[in-house]
Amino acid sequence: MLNNPTHHKLQQLRLHAMAKAFTEQLEMPTITQLSFEERLGLLVDVEITARENRRLKTRLRNARLQQSACLEDIDYHSPRHLDRTLLATLSHCQWVTSRHNILIVGPCGTGKTFLACSLAHKACLYSYTAYYCRISRLLGDLQLSKGDGQYVKRMNEIAKTDVLILDDFGLSPLTDEQRRDLLEILDDRHDKRSTIVTSQVPVKLWHETIGNETLADAILDRLVHNSYSALIPCLLYTSDAAD
């Protein structure tokens, strides 16, 4: 007699998954073989799983990953010489916990964006937030945001994101304003959050690509420091090699 009121109260408490599982339990003829604690434990597990799945779905939606990719789908048989051992290490997301960056460099069409999105997807699975953007579009949007009063808000959102993907670095020259915005982004995130950068330009040429010697020094100090680097055809190595 108390079943319907209990179901209704679970719904009122927004325990929707638990309420559904409770109804399903009532329809199971063998459920009485379990103790009260066991039945309650099953209901709690269902609710926790449902909430974790909803949060994951929200993180992936907000990440706006350019490709639907995951590390398990990487083809190690293609001639890119991916370092399977290092990728396995990165798959545990300790690099996010340690606030390390990842630099992915290689020719067009070699899967740089796929690899970056795969790493960000894994971070989302580990309850970290992520956000993908092409660097040219991000810097352009920031310039527009200065005119509508959203610049500070946008910069704060970027600074709080656990994993930021800056795709296609170095495809076009940076203006002085864009260099300064990029430095602000990386300075806010330095030793606090992780950043993934993809580029067709070798790391040793990034200083020249950025253009301004002083700003380039500051940008690369914050980006290359504490980073993993991936060359595609992929040799994965630590930041010492990137220097």
Side-chain angles (χ1 to χ4, degrees), residues 43-91:
L43 294 176
V44 172
D45 287 343
V46 168
E47 183 64 35
I48 290 176
T49 299
R51 293 191 177 202
E52 288 177 346
N53 289 337
R54 288 198 299 270
R55 285 194 288 265
L56 173 60
K57 185 177 180 179
T58 299
R59 288 194 299 272
L60 290 173
R61 182 177 66 248
N62 292 339
R64 300 183 181 180
L65 300 180
Q66 199 266 346
Q67 296 186 23
S68 178
C70 61
L71 289 174
E72 291 74 15
D73 291 336
I74 292 178
D75 181 9
Y76 291 97
H77 299 291
S78 62
R80 294 181 296 175
H81 308 293
L82 289 165
D83 189 327
R84 186 192 293 263
T85 301
L86 184 51
L87 283 176
T89 300
L90 296 177
S91 70

mmCIF file of all heavy atoms in Angstrom, residues 43-91:
data_model
loop_
_atom_site.group_PDB
_atom_site.id
_atom_site.type_symbol
_atom_site.label_atom_id
_atom_site.label_comp_id
_atom_site.label_asym_id
_atom_site.label_seq_id
_atom_site.Cartn_x
_atom_site.Cartn_y
_atom_site.Cartn_z
ATOM 1 N N LEU A 43 19.316 0.037 -5.447
ATOM 2 C CA LEU A 43 18.636 1.272 -5.850
ATOM 3 C C LEU A 43 19.599 2.456 -5.850
ATOM 4 O O LEU A 43 19.585 3.283 -6.772
ATOM 5 C CB LEU A 43 17.461 1.552 -4.905
ATOM 6 C CG LEU A 43 16.301 0.554 -4.929
ATOM 7 C CD1 LEU A 43 15.263 0.918 -3.865
ATOM 8 C CD2 LEU A 43 15.658 0.509 -6.307
ATOM 9 N N VAL A 44 20.423 2.540 -4.816
ATOM 10 C CA VAL A 44 21.401 3.637 -4.728
ATOM 11 C C VAL A 44 22.403 3.547 -5.872
ATOM 12 O O VAL A 44 22.759 4.566 -6.489
ATOM 13 C CB VAL A 44 22.125 3.606 -3.369
ATOM 14 C CG1 VAL A 44 23.268 4.620 -3.344
ATOM 15 C CG2 VAL A 44 21.140 3.904 -2.240
ATOM 16 N N ASP A 45 22.853 2.338 -6.202
ATOM 17 C CA ASP A 45 23.800 2.158 -7.302
ATOM 18 C C ASP A 45 23.213 2.632 -8.625
ATOM 19 O O ASP A 45 23.898 3.272 -9.441
ATOM 20 C CB ASP A 45 24.210 0.692 -7.421
ATOM 21 C CG ASP A 45 25.144 0.252 -6.295
ATOM 22 O OD1 ASP A 45 25.724 1.137 -5.619
ATOM 23 O OD2 ASP A 45 25.293 -0.970 -6.085
ATOM 24 N N VAL A 46 21.957 2.324 -8.859
ATOM 25 C CA VAL A 46 21.292 2.741 -10.095
ATOM 26 C C VAL A 46 21.230 4.260 -10.181
ATOM 27 O O VAL A 46 21.502 4.852 -11.234
ATOM 28 C CB VAL A 46 19.875 2.142 -10.175
ATOM 29 C CG1 VAL A 46 19.071 2.802 -11.289
ATOM 30 C CG2 VAL A 46 19.947 0.642 -10.397
ATOM 31 N N GLU A 47 20.883 4.908 -9.073
ATOM 32 C CA GLU A 47 20.782 6.365 -9.067
ATOM 33 C C GLU A 47 22.146 7.015 -9.297
ATOM 34 O O GLU A 47 22.272 7.975 -10.078
ATOM 35 C CB GLU A 47 20.187 6.846 -7.752
ATOM 36 C CG GLU A 47 19.970 8.349 -7.659
ATOM 37 C CD GLU A 47 18.944 8.862 -8.654
ATOM 38 O OE1 GLU A 47 17.963 8.128 -8.923
ATOM 39 O OE2 GLU A 47 19.129 9.986 -9.163
ATOM 40 N N ILE A 48 23.171 6.506 -8.640
ATOM 41 C CA ILE A 48 24.518 7.058 -8.805
ATOM 42 C C ILE A 48 24.990 6.907 -10.252
ATOM 43 O O ILE A 48 25.526 7.848 -10.855
ATOM 44 C CB ILE A 48 25.504 6.376 -7.843
ATOM 45 C CG1 ILE A 48 25.219 6.800 -6.405
ATOM 46 C CG2 ILE A 48 26.948 6.725 -8.214
ATOM 47 C CD1 ILE A 48 26.084 6.105 -5.375
ATOM 48 N N THR A 49 24.783 5.737 -10.837
ATOM 49 C CA THR A 49 25.191 5.494 -12.228
ATOM 50 C C THR A 49 24.465 6.435 -13.180
ATOM 51 O O THR A 49 25.071 6.998 -14.109
ATOM 52 C CB THR A 49 24.911 4.040 -12.617
ATOM 53 O OG1 THR A 49 25.661 3.170 -11.763
ATOM 54 C CG2 THR A 49 25.297 3.787 -14.066
ATOM 55 N N ALA A 50 23.169 6.617 -12.964
ATOM 56 C CA ALA A 50 22.382 7.498 -13.830
ATOM 57 C C ALA A 50 22.882 8.940 -13.740
ATOM 58 O O ALA A 50 22.995 9.638 -14.759
ATOM 59 C CB ALA A 50 20.904 7.428 -13.447
ATOM 60 N N ARG A 51 23.206 9.385 -12.534
ATOM 61 C CA ARG A 51 23.696 10.761 -12.374
ATOM 62 C C ARG A 51 25.070 10.934 -13.012
ATOM 63 O O ARG A 51 25.347 11.970 -13.635
ATOM 64 C CB ARG A 51 23.737 11.124 -10.889
ATOM 65 C CG ARG A 51 22.354 11.209 -10.258
ATOM 66 C CD ARG A 51 22.391 11.832 -8.883
ATOM 67 N NE ARG A 51 21.052 11.963 -8.339
ATOM 68 C CZ ARG A 51 20.717 12.820 -7.373
ATOM 69 N NH1 ARG A 51 21.635 13.590 -6.830
ATOM 70 N NH2 ARG A 51 19.479 12.877 -6.939
ATOM 71 N N GLU A 52 25.930 9.941 -12.847
ATOM 72 C CA GLU A 52 27.254 10.019 -13.458
ATOM 73 C C GLU A 52 27.141 10.056 -14.979
ATOM 74 O O GLU A 52 27.865 10.807 -15.647
ATOM 75 C CB GLU A 52 28.098 8.819 -13.021
ATOM 76 C CG GLU A 52 28.542 8.896 -11.558
ATOM 77 C CD GLU A 52 29.319 7.661 -11.129
ATOM 78 O OE1 GLU A 52 29.290 6.641 -11.875
ATOM 79 O OE2 GLU A 52 29.952 7.712 -10.060
ATOM 80 N N ASN A 53 26.215 9.288 -15.535
ATOM 81 C CA ASN A 53 26.018 9.285 -16.985
ATOM 82 C C ASN A 53 25.492 10.626 -17.477
ATOM 83 O O ASN A 53 25.902 11.108 -18.552
ATOM 84 C CB ASN A 53 25.064 8.160 -17.395
ATOM 85 C CG ASN A 53 25.689 6.788 -17.254
ATOM 86 O OD1 ASN A 53 26.911 6.648 -17.261
ATOM 87 N ND2 ASN A 53 24.859 5.765 -17.126
ATOM 88 N N ARG A 54 24.601 11.243 -16.711
ATOM 89 C CA ARG A 54 24.087 12.553 -17.104
ATOM 90 C C ARG A 54 25.179 13.612 -17.065
ATOM 91 O O ARG A 54 25.273 14.460 -17.958
ATOM 92 C CB ARG A 54 22.916 12.966 -16.194
ATOM 93 C CG ARG A 54 21.630 12.194 -16.436
ATOM 94 C CD ARG A 54 20.430 12.920 -15.836
ATOM 95 N NE ARG A 54 20.548 13.074 -14.395
ATOM 96 C CZ ARG A 54 20.088 12.189 -13.515
ATOM 97 N NH1 ARG A 54 19.526 11.064 -13.931
ATOM 98 N NH2 ARG A 54 20.199 12.414 -12.217
ATOM 99 N N ARG A 55 26.021 13.556 -16.026
ATOM 100 C CA ARG A 55 27.114 14.529 -15.928
ATOM 101 C C ARG A 55 28.112 14.327 -17.065
ATOM 102 O O ARG A 55 28.631 15.298 -17.627
ATOM 103 C CB ARG A 55 27.799 14.405 -14.569
ATOM 104 C CG ARG A 55 26.991 14.999 -13.421
ATOM 105 C CD ARG A 55 27.840 15.154 -12.171
ATOM 106 N NE ARG A 55 28.116 13.864 -11.563
ATOM 107 C CZ ARG A 55 27.388 13.331 -10.570
ATOM 108 N NH1 ARG A 55 26.344 13.983 -10.094
ATOM 109 N NH2 ARG A 55 27.703 12.152 -10.063
ATOM 110 N N LEU A 56 28.391 13.067 -17.406
ATOM 111 C CA LEU A 56 29.304 12.788 -18.521
ATOM 112 C C LEU A 56 28.732 13.331 -19.830
ATOM 113 O O LEU A 56 29.458 13.949 -20.624
ATOM 114 C CB LEU A 56 29.551 11.285 -18.637
ATOM 115 C CG LEU A 56 30.348 10.835 -19.876
ATOM 116 C CD1 LEU A 56 31.727 11.473 -19.886
ATOM 117 C CD2 LEU A 56 30.455 9.312 -19.905
ATOM 118 N N LYS A 57 27.448 13.109 -20.044
ATOM 119 C CA LYS A 57 26.806 13.607 -21.262
ATOM 120 C C LYS A 57 26.905 15.127 -21.340
ATOM 121 O O LYS A 57 27.175 15.687 -22.425
ATOM 122 C CB LYS A 57 25.337 13.172 -21.283
ATOM 123 C CG LYS A 57 24.611 13.527 -22.556
ATOM 124 C CD LYS A 57 23.186 12.990 -22.538
ATOM 125 C CE LYS A 57 22.445 13.340 -23.822
ATOM 126 N NZ LYS A 57 21.053 12.798 -23.819
ATOM 127 N N THR A 58 26.735 15.800 -20.206
ATOM 128 C CA THR A 58 26.841 17.258 -20.174
ATOM 129 C C THR A 58 28.270 17.711 -20.464
ATOM 130 O O THR A 58 28.499 18.657 -21.222
ATOM 131 C CB THR A 58 26.401 17.796 -18.801
ATOM 132 O OG1 THR A 58 25.029 17.447 -18.574
ATOM 133 C CG2 THR A 58 26.546 19.311 -18.731
ATOM 134 N N ARG A 59 29.254 17.025 -19.867
ATOM 135 C CA ARG A 59 30.660 17.396 -20.112
ATOM 136 C C ARG A 59 31.024 17.232 -21.585
ATOM 137 O O ARG A 59 31.695 18.101 -22.160
ATOM 138 C CB ARG A 59 31.590 16.543 -19.238
ATOM 139 C CG ARG A 59 31.567 16.894 -17.768
ATOM 140 C CD ARG A 59 32.737 16.269 -17.022
ATOM 141 N NE ARG A 59 32.726 14.812 -17.080
ATOM 142 C CZ ARG A 59 32.082 14.035 -16.212
ATOM 143 N NH1 ARG A 59 31.373 14.584 -15.226
ATOM 144 N NH2 ARG A 59 32.127 12.720 -16.305
ATOM 145 N N LEU A 60 30.584 16.144 -22.198
ATOM 146 C CA LEU A 60 30.898 15.918 -23.604
ATOM 147 C C LEU A 60 30.190 16.931 -24.498
ATOM 148 O O LEU A 60 30.754 17.386 -25.495
ATOM 149 C CB LEU A 60 30.505 14.494 -24.004
ATOM 150 C CG LEU A 60 31.368 13.375 -23.401
ATOM 151 C CD1 LEU A 60 30.772 12.009 -23.723
ATOM 152 C CD2 LEU A 60 32.805 13.474 -23.907
ATOM 153 N N ARG A 61 28.976 17.282 -24.155
ATOM 154 C CA ARG A 61 28.259 18.291 -24.942
ATOM 155 C C ARG A 61 28.944 19.646 -24.849
ATOM 156 O O ARG A 61 29.144 20.334 -25.847
ATOM 157 C CB ARG A 61 26.802 18.396 -24.468
ATOM 158 C CG ARG A 61 25.986 19.394 -25.286
ATOM 159 C CD ARG A 61 24.542 19.431 -24.844
ATOM 160 N NE ARG A 61 24.394 19.944 -23.484
ATOM 161 C CZ ARG A 61 24.006 19.215 -22.448
ATOM 162 N NH1 ARG A 61 23.745 17.927 -22.602
ATOM 163 N NH2 ARG A 61 23.892 19.742 -21.257
ATOM 164 N N ASN A 62 29.344 20.027 -23.629
ATOM 165 C CA ASN A 62 30.004 21.317 -23.447
ATOM 166 C C ASN A 62 31.403 21.350 -24.056
ATOM 167 O O ASN A 62 31.911 22.422 -24.394
ATOM 168 C CB ASN A 62 30.091 21.651 -21.953
ATOM 169 C CG ASN A 62 28.735 21.918 -21.332
ATOM 170 O OD1 ASN A 62 27.774 22.238 -22.037
ATOM 171 N ND2 ASN A 62 28.636 21.791 -20.017
ATOM 172 N N ALA A 63 32.029 20.170 -24.197
ATOM 173 C CA ALA A 63 33.384 20.114 -24.755
ATOM 174 C C ALA A 63 33.396 20.468 -26.234
ATOM 175 O O ALA A 63 34.412 20.948 -26.750
ATOM 176 C CB ALA A 63 33.981 18.719 -24.545
ATOM 177 N N ARG A 64 32.304 20.221 -26.924
ATOM 178 C CA ARG A 64 32.193 20.545 -28.352
ATOM 179 C C ARG A 64 33.363 19.964 -29.154
ATOM 180 O O ARG A 64 33.959 20.649 -29.999
ATOM 181 C CB ARG A 64 32.116 22.063 -28.560
ATOM 182 C CG ARG A 64 30.920 22.715 -27.881
ATOM 183 C CD ARG A 64 30.831 24.187 -28.151
ATOM 184 N NE ARG A 64 29.705 24.789 -27.477
ATOM 185 C CZ ARG A 64 29.380 26.092 -27.543
ATOM 186 N NH1 ARG A 64 30.142 26.907 -28.265
ATOM 187 N NH2 ARG A 64 28.338 26.559 -26.896
ATOM 188 N N LEU A 65 33.681 18.723 -28.871
ATOM 189 C CA LEU A 65 34.794 18.085 -29.568
ATOM 190 C C LEU A 65 34.499 18.012 -31.070
ATOM 191 O O LEU A 65 33.396 17.643 -31.474
ATOM 192 C CB LEU A 65 35.032 16.686 -29.002
ATOM 193 C CG LEU A 65 35.390 16.627 -27.508
ATOM 194 C CD1 LEU A 65 35.604 15.186 -27.080
ATOM 195 C CD2 LEU A 65 36.626 17.463 -27.220
ATOM 196 N N GLN A 66 35.491 18.352 -31.855
ATOM 197 C CA GLN A 66 35.313 18.434 -33.301
ATOM 198 C C GLN A 66 35.062 17.065 -33.926
ATOM 199 O O GLN A 66 34.415 16.962 -34.960
ATOM 200 C CB GLN A 66 36.544 19.099 -33.931
ATOM 201 C CG GLN A 66 36.318 19.659 -35.325
ATOM 202 C CD GLN A 66 36.695 18.684 -36.423
ATOM 203 O OE1 GLN A 66 37.354 17.701 -36.170
ATOM 204 N NE2 GLN A 66 36.260 18.966 -37.640
ATOM 205 N N GLN A 67 35.589 16.023 -33.288
ATOM 206 C CA GLN A 67 35.393 14.659 -33.768
ATOM 207 C C GLN A 67 34.936 13.766 -32.623
ATOM 208 O O GLN A 67 35.340 13.962 -31.481
ATOM 209 C CB GLN A 67 36.690 14.103 -34.361
ATOM 210 C CG GLN A 67 37.180 14.843 -35.596
ATOM 211 C CD GLN A 67 38.386 14.164 -36.217
ATOM 212 O OE1 GLN A 67 38.611 12.972 -36.031
ATOM 213 N NE2 GLN A 67 39.159 14.922 -36.968
ATOM 214 N N SER A 68 34.093 12.799 -32.965
ATOM 215 C CA SER A 68 33.703 11.790 -31.986
ATOM 216 C C SER A 68 34.805 10.741 -31.962
ATOM 217 O O SER A 68 34.879 9.884 -32.846
ATOM 218 C CB SER A 68 32.359 11.162 -32.375
ATOM 219 O OG SER A 68 32.001 10.149 -31.465
ATOM 220 N N ALA A 69 35.684 10.845 -30.980
ATOM 221 C CA ALA A 69 36.893 10.020 -30.971
ATOM 222 C C ALA A 69 37.174 9.509 -29.574
ATOM 223 O O ALA A 69 36.846 10.160 -28.585
ATOM 224 C CB ALA A 69 38.089 10.843 -31.466
ATOM 225 N N CYS A 70 37.797 8.348 -29.507
ATOM 226 C CA CYS A 70 38.255 7.821 -28.230
ATOM 227 C C CYS A 70 39.561 7.075 -28.458
ATOM 228 O O CYS A 70 39.834 6.595 -29.567
ATOM 229 C CB CYS A 70 37.204 6.930 -27.571
ATOM 230 S SG CYS A 70 36.745 5.484 -28.527
ATOM 231 N N LEU A 71 40.361 6.969 -27.424
ATOM 232 C CA LEU A 71 41.685 6.363 -27.542
ATOM 233 C C LEU A 71 41.613 4.911 -27.994
ATOM 234 O O LEU A 71 42.521 4.416 -28.677
ATOM 235 C CB LEU A 71 42.427 6.467 -26.210
ATOM 236 C CG LEU A 71 42.906 7.862 -25.803
ATOM 237 C CD1 LEU A 71 43.496 7.831 -24.398
ATOM 238 C CD2 LEU A 71 43.938 8.392 -26.793
ATOM 239 N N GLU A 72 40.553 4.220 -27.627
ATOM 240 C CA GLU A 72 40.423 2.817 -27.992
ATOM 241 C C GLU A 72 40.271 2.621 -29.502
ATOM 242 O O GLU A 72 40.485 1.507 -30.011
ATOM 243 C CB GLU A 72 39.224 2.191 -27.269
ATOM 244 C CG GLU A 72 39.406 2.039 -25.762
ATOM 245 C CD GLU A 72 39.298 3.350 -24.999
ATOM 246 O OE1 GLU A 72 38.804 4.343 -25.587
ATOM 247 O OE2 GLU A 72 39.701 3.393 -23.822
ATOM 248 N N ASP A 73 39.902 3.681 -30.226
ATOM 249 C CA ASP A 73 39.698 3.582 -31.674
ATOM 250 C C ASP A 73 40.948 3.932 -32.478
ATOM 251 O O ASP A 73 40.906 3.918 -33.716
ATOM 252 C CB ASP A 73 38.549 4.495 -32.116
ATOM 253 C CG ASP A 73 37.199 4.010 -31.611
ATOM 254 O OD1 ASP A 73 37.082 2.801 -31.332
ATOM 255 O OD2 ASP A 73 36.287 4.837 -31.488
ATOM 256 N N ILE A 74 42.042 4.283 -31.810
ATOM 257 C CA ILE A 74 43.268 4.650 -32.526
ATOM 258 C C ILE A 74 43.850 3.434 -33.237
ATOM 259 O O ILE A 74 43.950 2.348 -32.659
ATOM 260 C CB ILE A 74 44.307 5.248 -31.561
ATOM 261 C CG1 ILE A 74 43.822 6.604 -31.051
ATOM 262 C CG2 ILE A 74 45.667 5.405 -32.231
ATOM 263 C CD1 ILE A 74 44.749 7.253 -30.047
ATOM 264 N N ASP A 75 44.220 3.628 -34.492
ATOM 265 C CA ASP A 75 44.800 2.557 -35.304
ATOM 266 C C ASP A 75 46.321 2.602 -35.160
ATOM 267 O O ASP A 75 46.986 3.476 -35.727
ATOM 268 C CB ASP A 75 44.396 2.737 -36.771
ATOM 269 C CG ASP A 75 44.952 1.631 -37.660
ATOM 270 O OD1 ASP A 75 45.496 0.641 -37.115
ATOM 271 O OD2 ASP A 75 44.841 1.762 -38.896
ATOM 272 N N TYR A 76 46.884 1.655 -34.435
ATOM 273 C CA TYR A 76 48.329 1.619 -34.224
ATOM 274 C C TYR A 76 49.066 0.930 -35.377
ATOM 275 O O TYR A 76 50.296 0.927 -35.408
ATOM 276 C CB TYR A 76 48.651 0.899 -32.912
ATOM 277 C CG TYR A 76 48.232 1.672 -31.690
ATOM 278 C CD1 TYR A 76 47.021 1.402 -31.059
ATOM 279 C CD2 TYR A 76 49.035 2.683 -31.162
ATOM 280 C CE1 TYR A 76 46.622 2.114 -29.935
ATOM 281 C CE2 TYR A 76 48.648 3.395 -30.038
ATOM 282 C CZ TYR A 76 47.441 3.106 -29.435
ATOM 283 O OH TYR A 76 47.055 3.814 -28.324
ATOM 284 N N HIS A 77 48.308 0.370 -36.320
ATOM 285 C CA HIS A 77 48.944 -0.328 -37.436
ATOM 286 C C HIS A 77 49.238 0.610 -38.604
ATOM 287 O O HIS A 77 49.973 0.238 -39.510
ATOM 288 C CB HIS A 77 48.045 -1.474 -37.909
ATOM 289 C CG HIS A 77 47.788 -2.508 -36.856
ATOM 290 N ND1 HIS A 77 48.771 -3.359 -36.390
ATOM 291 C CD2 HIS A 77 46.668 -2.811 -36.152
ATOM 292 C CE1 HIS A 77 48.270 -4.158 -35.464
ATOM 293 N NE2 HIS A 77 46.986 -3.844 -35.295
ATOM 294 N N SER A 78 48.659 1.816 -38.576
ATOM 295 C CA SER A 78 48.955 2.774 -39.635
ATOM 296 C C SER A 78 50.392 3.274 -39.471
ATOM 297 O O SER A 78 50.931 3.268 -38.364
ATOM 298 C CB SER A 78 47.969 3.952 -39.575
ATOM 299 O OG SER A 78 48.098 4.644 -38.351
ATOM 300 N N PRO A 79 51.026 3.742 -40.567
ATOM 301 C CA PRO A 79 52.457 4.109 -40.510
ATOM 302 C C PRO A 79 52.700 5.460 -39.854
ATOM 303 O O PRO A 79 53.295 6.356 -40.438
ATOM 304 C CB PRO A 79 52.850 4.126 -41.996
ATOM 305 C CG PRO A 79 51.579 4.504 -42.701
ATOM 306 C CD PRO A 79 50.474 3.846 -41.925
ATOM 307 N N ARG A 80 52.241 5.619 -38.608
ATOM 308 C CA ARG A 80 52.463 6.880 -37.897
ATOM 309 C C ARG A 80 53.398 6.709 -36.708
ATOM 310 O O ARG A 80 53.757 7.681 -36.063
ATOM 311 C CB ARG A 80 51.114 7.449 -37.409
ATOM 312 C CG ARG A 80 50.191 7.869 -38.532
ATOM 313 C CD ARG A 80 48.896 8.427 -37.983
ATOM 314 N NE ARG A 80 48.137 7.412 -37.246
ATOM 315 C CZ ARG A 80 47.014 7.658 -36.584
ATOM 316 N NH1 ARG A 80 46.533 8.889 -36.548
ATOM 317 N NH2 ARG A 80 46.369 6.702 -35.958
ATOM 318 N N HIS A 81 53.757 5.463 -36.403
ATOM 319 C CA HIS A 81 54.711 5.171 -35.338
ATOM 320 C C HIS A 81 54.268 5.771 -34.002
ATOM 321 O O HIS A 81 55.051 6.384 -33.281
ATOM 322 C CB HIS A 81 56.105 5.691 -35.708
ATOM 323 C CG HIS A 81 56.574 5.219 -37.048
ATOM 324 N ND1 HIS A 81 56.857 3.899 -37.317
ATOM 325 C CD2 HIS A 81 56.771 5.905 -38.202
ATOM 326 C CE1 HIS A 81 57.243 3.785 -38.586
ATOM 327 N NE2 HIS A 81 57.187 4.978 -39.145
ATOM 328 N N LEU A 82 53.000 5.614 -33.697
ATOM 329 C CA LEU A 82 52.497 6.103 -32.416
ATOM 330 C C LEU A 82 53.125 5.326 -31.275
ATOM 331 O O LEU A 82 53.298 4.109 -31.352
ATOM 332 C CB LEU A 82 50.978 5.960 -32.358
ATOM 333 C CG LEU A 82 50.165 6.912 -33.242
ATOM 334 C CD1 LEU A 82 48.743 6.423 -33.357
ATOM 335 C CD2 LEU A 82 50.204 8.326 -32.696
ATOM 336 N N ASP A 83 53.446 6.034 -30.222
ATOM 337 C CA ASP A 83 54.038 5.409 -29.036
ATOM 338 C C ASP A 83 52.906 4.848 -28.182
ATOM 339 O O ASP A 83 52.280 5.563 -27.404
ATOM 340 C CB ASP A 83 54.849 6.449 -28.265
ATOM 341 C CG ASP A 83 55.668 5.831 -27.139
ATOM 342 O OD1 ASP A 83 55.208 4.838 -26.550
ATOM 343 O OD2 ASP A 83 56.765 6.334 -26.858
ATOM 344 N N ARG A 84 52.641 3.569 -28.330
ATOM 345 C CA ARG A 84 51.525 2.928 -27.619
ATOM 346 C C ARG A 84 51.711 3.007 -26.108
ATOM 347 O O ARG A 84 50.745 3.197 -25.358
ATOM 348 C CB ARG A 84 51.404 1.469 -28.063
ATOM 349 C CG ARG A 84 50.195 0.751 -27.502
ATOM 350 C CD ARG A 84 50.301 -0.747 -27.740
ATOM 351 N NE ARG A 84 50.225 -1.066 -29.153
ATOM 352 C CZ ARG A 84 49.094 -1.459 -29.760
ATOM 353 N NH1 ARG A 84 47.982 -1.587 -29.064
ATOM 354 N NH2 ARG A 84 49.091 -1.762 -31.045
ATOM 355 N N THR A 85 52.957 2.886 -25.652
ATOM 356 C CA THR A 85 53.223 2.911 -24.211
ATOM 357 C C THR A 85 52.881 4.267 -23.611
ATOM 358 O O THR A 85 52.226 4.355 -22.564
ATOM 359 C CB THR A 85 54.698 2.581 -23.932
ATOM 360 O OG1 THR A 85 54.993 1.281 -24.453
ATOM 361 C CG2 THR A 85 54.971 2.598 -22.434
ATOM 362 N N LEU A 86 53.310 5.336 -24.261
ATOM 363 C CA LEU A 86 53.026 6.669 -23.733
ATOM 364 C C LEU A 86 51.540 6.991 -23.802
ATOM 365 O O LEU A 86 50.983 7.581 -22.878
ATOM 366 C CB LEU A 86 53.842 7.723 -24.478
ATOM 367 C CG LEU A 86 53.704 9.160 -23.966
ATOM 368 C CD1 LEU A 86 53.920 9.230 -22.454
ATOM 369 C CD2 LEU A 86 54.676 10.072 -24.687
ATOM 370 N N LEU A 87 50.894 6.586 -24.898
ATOM 371 C CA LEU A 87 49.456 6.814 -24.991
ATOM 372 C C LEU A 87 48.705 6.052 -23.916
ATOM 373 O O LEU A 87 47.701 6.531 -23.386
ATOM 374 C CB LEU A 87 48.945 6.425 -26.376
ATOM 375 C CG LEU A 87 49.239 7.421 -27.505
ATOM 376 C CD1 LEU A 87 48.753 6.869 -28.833
ATOM 377 C CD2 LEU A 87 48.600 8.764 -27.216
ATOM 378 N N ALA A 88 49.187 4.864 -23.582
ATOM 379 C CA ALA A 88 48.571 4.105 -22.492
ATOM 380 C C ALA A 88 48.731 4.841 -21.171
ATOM 381 O O ALA A 88 47.822 4.864 -20.338
ATOM 382 C CB ALA A 88 49.195 2.715 -22.409
ATOM 383 N N THR A 89 49.892 5.464 -20.981
ATOM 384 C CA THR A 89 50.117 6.262 -19.769
ATOM 385 C C THR A 89 49.198 7.470 -19.740
ATOM 386 O O THR A 89 48.578 7.778 -18.713
ATOM 387 C CB THR A 89 51.584 6.725 -19.709
ATOM 388 O OG1 THR A 89 52.445 5.582 -19.680
ATOM 389 C CG2 THR A 89 51.837 7.573 -18.470
ATOM 390 N N LEU A 90 49.078 8.151 -20.881
ATOM 391 C CA LEU A 90 48.220 9.335 -20.954
ATOM 392 C C LEU A 90 46.757 8.979 -20.758
ATOM 393 O O LEU A 90 45.966 9.809 -20.303
ATOM 394 C CB LEU A 90 48.409 10.032 -22.303
ATOM 395 C CG LEU A 90 49.799 10.617 -22.585
ATOM 396 C CD1 LEU A 90 49.856 11.205 -23.997
ATOM 397 C CD2 LEU A 90 50.174 11.674 -21.558
ATOM 398 N N SER A 91 46.374 7.745 -21.078
ATOM 399 C CA SER A 91 44.972 7.346 -20.974
ATOM 400 C C SER A 91 44.460 7.346 -19.538
ATOM 401 O O SER A 91 43.252 7.362 -19.318
ATOM 402 C CB SER A 91 44.781 5.952 -21.584
ATOM 403 O OG SER A 91 45.385 4.945 -20.786
#
